[in-house]
Amino acid sequence: MASKNSDIIDDHSSGKGVESKGVDSSVGDPELGQDLHVSLGQSEKGSNLKLDKTGLPLVPQPSDDPSDPLNFPQWVKVAILLQVSFLALLGPLNQATVNPAFVPLAAHFRISTVEASYQTTIAIAFAGIGSFVWVPLANTYGRRPILLFTTLIAAASSLGSGKALTWSQLIATRVLNGLGTSSFFTLGAGMVSDTFFLHEKGRAMGIFTVFLTNSAHIAPIPGGFLGQFVSYRWCYYLPAILDFAMFVIMLFCLPETLYLRGSTPVVTDKPILRRMKLWGLRPEGKHLEAADFLRQLIMYPTVVLTALYYSVTFTLSSILPAVTSATLFRRLYKFNASQTGLALGIGTLVGSTLGELLGGVVVDRSMYLNRKGKKDGGIVPEIRLQGIWVGAILQPIGLLIWGFCIQYKTPYIGPTMGFGIMCFAIQIISTVLYSYNADCYRPQTSEIAQVLNFARQTVGMTTGFWSIPLGDSIGFQWMAVTMALVGLVTFLPVVYLMFHGKTIRGRMGAPTYNSGF
């Protein structure tokens, strides 16, 4: 993976192929206006801009401080990306590994399989809530110590879930597991934004989101075999082991990426090693305040509208198959836990991987071609939204295939292809929306990821309560039609943003908090 991703950066950050020239940042298309000045970061009018090897300005502009994450060597950036991406994978893995084992889990606690799904629902819900605590703490004390702390919480709580003797004990440990894993989704996206330039962010975010999206698809494969041949308890022990292993890796390999632009450079010949400290890297003058927890609730239309669409499509494309397959595949095809895990895992994994191969590359390429046509290399973030069309069209198609195949009891390959298509689509949608929002408000990327995560987890947690009862009541084909229409309605505001997003952002103004990051 590392060798594959080594071309993410063209050595811009390490100084190779980078030039500094006297370029007037005010020159260019006047329609770009504020977007160009904001995207160039701290560059002043008439200042020397650092360019990439194609001659376009680097966005954002890196400082001259070797401790600036934008100046990290290529291999360090890739290492950071892979670590936070694998951590993002562990979040849903903690929640979803047990999904194919609902039958033995339900039998042990003497409940129905639908009730057994509630422990996943609880974990998903609290994974959306916890980030409201972790993001402000990370913005003050650093992303590294908070990630290490929450990874230990995730490991301990997952181990506790496997040891639980009563249903109430299991629910309590799942609450803690959701709180612990919530930082994986948000702080990881912030670290990606801390280290990558505009022209490479789409591919980097694509890698991050493919790990995030595919986790719930990989989880059923080992979960099915563990649940059938070993014990459902090992569906909790496995994530606990992986969480702890990731903690050890990050302890020695993950540097701090939180950096306040304009801060006084620290003279050191080992800037990366210095950023491996667990404390002492707090941004200058930054102190935790009550407002840090409250201001995250300030909603910007571009973030809220995209979060609404993302949460609906992610729920229908990823969470819906995950929480229904154990019941439906057993009912329709007499599948055991391992067979359900393979059908669910392979179909969704193939779809998401193919979606990533298309999504990130296409988004970055479109940004490059549009910037190349501008005299100053600037571009508005709404260009990224043009890459969403393939995903937006295929998502309801996959949903309809899944619903009709379930209702009319086609061979299992039918619904498997349906959620494979949905996962292909949601990977493109995720990459586009994460990259777009990060371009709009780069210093607030963690808060943006928090809103996206909260929306996804809040909407997704309801799936276990309504999906199978609704399908049994009105028919799974009509449930699919209804949900496809819901997705279409929530997509219309995204289309509006394609043409009017810049105007909306101009009226709202940029957030002032964390503006120095």
Side-chain angles (χ1 to χ4, degrees), residues 13 154 189 224 304 313 318 325-326 368 420 433 448 465-466 494:
S13 59
V304 175
T313 52
S318 184
S325 292
Y368 168 74
L433 296 184
I448 290 169
F465 297 104
W466 58 261
V494 178

Side-chain angles (χ1 to χ4, degrees), residues 202-223:
R203 194 179 305 182
M205 279 294 186
I207 292 170
F208 176 81
T209 57
V210 80
F211 274 78
L212 173 61
T213 305
N214 267 332
S215 175
H217 310 150
I218 295 173
I221 299 177

Side-chain angles (χ1 to χ4, degrees), residues 249-314:
I249 292 173
M250 292 191 302
L251 182 64
F252 295 103
C253 302
L254 184 67
E256 179 59 67
T257 64
L258 189 65
Y259 181 80
L260 183 62
R261 313 225 153 261
S263 58
T264 304
V266 176
V267 179
T268 175
D269 57 351
K270 298 179 180 179
I272 298 174
L273 186 61
R274 177 181 174 273
R275 288 202 151 252
M276 297 297 295
K277 296 167 57 178
L278 288 176
W279 56 83
L281 296 176
R282 177 192 295 186
E284 294 178 357
K286 177 66 175 174
H287 300 282
L288 188 64
E289 301 174 356
D292 294 331
F293 296 94
L294 300 176
R295 64 165 56 104
Q296 301 170 79
L297 300 178
I298 299 176
M299 300 298 186
Y300 286 79
T302 52
V303 178
V304 175
L305 295 177
T306 53
L308 175 62
Y309 177 61
Y310 172 62
S311 64
V312 170
T313 52
F314 189 92

